[in-house]
Amino acid sequence: MDRTVIAYVIYLVVSIGLTVWVARTLSRNGRVFLADVLHGNEKLADAVNHLLVVGFYLVNLGFVALYLSGDDTVTDTRGVFEALSAKLGVVLLVLGVMHLANVYVLNRIRRRGVMEREQNPPVPPQDWTAPAAQA
């Protein structure tokens, strides 16, 4: 078997495995954060969590597939490691950027919700007072 094909197979197996592992980890641990962002609405948090995971898979696996092809032919074992390290490094950076973007957006939503909650008075007004006359 050609070394380039071997590098492609290893790249796909590791990239897909990393994508699945990161998505599951983010889904499991991000659910609590989503519930807080969505004011304790567990059903909505689960739905948003599932949609985020699907989007995460689509973007990352699409990137992995597009980034599969390479310009150079791998001729030796050193070339296999060099090609894999470059490709997997980029995939890991994309996974990290996707994660940070999700956390940033969700944190903005959470902050907006906290600000909206603070704008409402804790107790509704009970009476009205006329302005004092100027002397």
Side-chain angles (χ1 to χ4, degrees), residues 21-36 49 53 99 103 106:
W21 175 72
V22 170
R24 286 185 177 178
T25 302
L26 293 176
S27 173
R28 187 176 344 105
N29 297 321
R31 187 180 178 287
V32 175
F33 182 74
L34 280 172
D36 181 50
N49 197 16
V53 168
H99 169 63
V103 170
L106 292 172

Side-chain angles (χ1 to χ4, degrees), residues 5-38:
V5 174
I6 292 170
Y8 285 168
V9 169
I10 294 170
Y11 164 75
L12 282 173
V13 168
V14 173
S15 295
I16 292 170
L18 282 171
T19 300
V20 169
W21 175 72
V22 170
R24 286 185 177 178
T25 302
L26 293 176
S27 173
R28 187 176 344 105
N29 297 321
R31 187 180 178 287
V32 175
F33 182 74
L34 280 172
D36 181 50
V37 168
L38 299 171

Side-chain angles (χ1 to χ4, degrees), residues 95-130:
L95 286 170
V97 167
M98 289 285 298
H99 169 63
L100 291 176
N102 280 339
V103 170
Y104 176 76
V105 168
L106 292 172
N107 194 35
R108 296 278 302 200
I109 293 169
R110 182 177 162 268
R111 265 200 242 155
R112 186 179 318 140
V114 167
M115 289 178 64
E116 287 173 1
R117 280 184 275 175
E118 289 178 358
Q119 287 179 354
N120 297 330
V123 178
Q126 298 173 358
D127 201 3
W128 182 79
T129 304

